[in-house]
Amino acid sequence: MSKLNAGAFEFVPGRGFVVPQPPAQQPPPPTERPEQTEAPRPPPTISLNIGGAKPTLPPPTAAPAAAPAAPTAPVPQPKKEEVKPSAASSPATPATVSKPSTPAPAPSKTFSTQKSKTDTAAIAQEVKALADQAVLDDLYGQVKEHLNIVFIGHVDAGKSTMGGNLLFLTGMVDKRTMEKYERDAKECGRESWYLSWALDSTPQERNKGKTVEVGRAYFETDARRYTILDAPGHKTFVPSMISGAAQADIAVLVISARKGEFETGFEKGGQTREHIMLVKTAGVSKVIVVINKMDDPTVLWEKARYEEIKDKLTPFIRAAGFNPKTDVTFIPISAYTGVNLKDRPTKAVCPWYDGPSFLEHLDHMPMVDRKLNAPLMMPISEKYKDMGTVIVGKVESGLLRKGDHLSLMPNRDEVEVTAIYNEMEAEVPQALCGDNVRVRLRGVEDEDISPGFVLTSPLKPIHAVRQFEAQLAILEHKSIICAGYSAVMHIHTLSEEVTLPALLHYYDKATGRKSRKPPQFAKKGQKIVALIETTALVCVERFVDYPQLGRFTLRDEGRTIAIGKITKLIESGAIAEEVTEGINNLSVAQGSVVA
């Protein structure tokens, strides 16, 4: 029994039961470890090389008894990872496992998010080095960066003349056409206006020498493509100027250096001040101040006159919201003679100016940020009928392709893009963000479209609302503004009559905080939050999401009253739900309504 179960009681006659004692076990001797004389070897690392040059392999070494084995499946981790060593390993393993043999290892090829940003550039450089230029042009086409420029300034500052001369100098208008314009202008007694006729095309504009509508033209240099938007300078046509500025990336403020003309444009009734404020509101981030007519007999390229104009303009440009050091450039030119437009002036003409010419500066300006990956949004500035419905506008975000099925907001008309034309009236397969294009549509009549409608993606359309909250800065008003005030709102290419049903908050000038109580009124210089209501649906977005579609100007009686940005959109469905909920909560009791 005891042999079967060593722990069982053993029965012997004449002896009592005794609990069996287990045999005493000796404790195991302590394990002796060899003393460590060198630093421990680092764990093996796996190198991922994506898009870069081929990594240099370490020289093969004799495989140790227990070599680390490479993992069978790659683990998607950007950092170094440890691999447990195993006995079964082949001698070819060190080709994939890198072991630093020196204290200062070579730069790691380990994949990281930081490295991935530069790898696309490395691939592009590699492709450029391997492929022939003709192959690249055939595959991708010659796509130059595109910029939209608006010419602004007081009446007779020389905006159209400068635009016409630019077209002539860049070869977009040939010499024969210019000679014809010169002859026609001479017959009309307007000899010095012939350059502006390249942009002012209607008889009314040519006879009076005043631009009425925004003139469009196109030119290109070796580096970039440009669309000129020649805005009118007269205060009667400021709404046209706003629609032109809304489509621009860069503003060129043309100033006349002639004695008396600069002062007239810059004083309180002149358009120079208002135009600077309006382009900032329209979303233009860079301004080139071109001081024109430097060849005038009253100026004769004097540095003193140039510095005087620069010193007077800088404080006002800063007050409008531009940084004079980074956003503003001053360039002296003569638009009529073309000096400093394309080529720099000689020292005999202007010994004190060492900067770049106008076109040089444009070619080397930093490119504006484009929202290529955002949903398509294209505000419509013009429409007409030409073998179908044709719309004109600037692509504010996204990408437009021939054959796309899109929505026309706010009416939600389903349309198809049948053709896209660029500035040269050539048909193109697609238009990128920033391009000014003409688009032929199928599925809608031109009578059903108005300027201010937006061509948008049906998956994520632009918001169409009647009410929104906005921050307003009151610039100028002869009296106070109260709830119920009405004005005309200019936002992207749209002009719409609006009312202010309620003033919600005002900002304390000292602390910058919003008030809790709504103000009774607002006056010049104040910053307020107001509820704005339109008569019809308007296509707008919040300023933080799409700055170009969320900033606006309020005008009244021919003056700019306020500038603002949209902070909150109030959907019409939400108002209807509130009304329905309120009606459901009503109960009629004994002839009286009880909420």
Side-chain angles (χ1 to χ4, degrees), residues 208-222:
K208 291 191 174 182
K210 287 178 186 173
T211 307
V212 175
E213 293 181 348
V214 176
R216 285 174 181 272
Y218 168 81
F219 72 91
E220 63 178 82
T221 61
D222 296 335

Side-chain angles (χ1 to χ4, degrees), residues 337-361:
T337 58
V339 176
N340 209 22
L341 279 182
K342 188 178 181 182
D343 301 320
R344 297 188 185 191
T346 59
K347 291 295 178 187
V349 175
C350 182
W352 48 269
Y353 182 72
D354 297 320
S357 67
F358 178 71
L359 284 180
E360 275 180 49
H361 180 70

Side-chain angles (χ1 to χ4, degrees), residues 82-97:
E82 294 183 8
V83 180
K84 293 181 181 177
S86 69
S89 174
S90 63
T93 305
T96 53
V97 178

Side-chain angles (χ1 to χ4, degrees), residues 263-279:
E263 286 75 13
T264 306
F266 190 63
E267 67 188 20
K268 201 165 185 182
Q271 294 307 295
T272 304
R273 289 167 176 259
E274 188 175 9
H275 280 200
I276 294 170
M277 190 64 71
L278 288 172
V279 292

